[in-house]
Amino acid sequence: MTEQLKVDMIACDGHGVCAELVPELIGLDEWGYPVLANAPVPRELRKHARKAVTLCPKLALSLSNR
């Protein structure tokens, strides 16, 4: 089973916490909003991805099964 990060752009306020926690999968655009890699979360980064989901101030980040 593979998981992929998703962001609710309506809920996101662009705090950037997610990009700090998982820079390998999440970048920031020029306004500070997340730009997600269009790829499954590698096994070695799943723990970090889950932490980013948990620590998102607006709960805009999620992990979904593909």
Side-chain angles (χ1 to χ4, degrees):
M1 178 170 49
T2 61
E3 296 176 307
Q4 188 165 354
L5 284 168
K6 296 191 179 220
V7 66
D8 177 350
M9 294 305 287
I10 303 283
C12 180
D13 276 349
H15 291 276
V17 173
C18 56
E20 289 180 26
L21 293 170
V22 195
E24 301 88 349
L25 299 175
I26 305 171
L28 298 176
D29 68 10
E30 59 269 21
W31 298 285
Y33 287 91
V35 177
L36 305 179
N38 188 18
V41 176
R43 173 171 273 140
E44 63 273 8
L45 294 177
R46 286 183 188 159
K47 180 179 177 182
H48 299 290
R50 287 186 188 111
K51 186 172 184 176
V53 168
T54 302
L55 294 178
C56 177
K58 300 300 278 184
L59 304 176
L61 194 62
S62 64
L63 270 173
S64 65
N65 294 324
R66 288 179 57 164

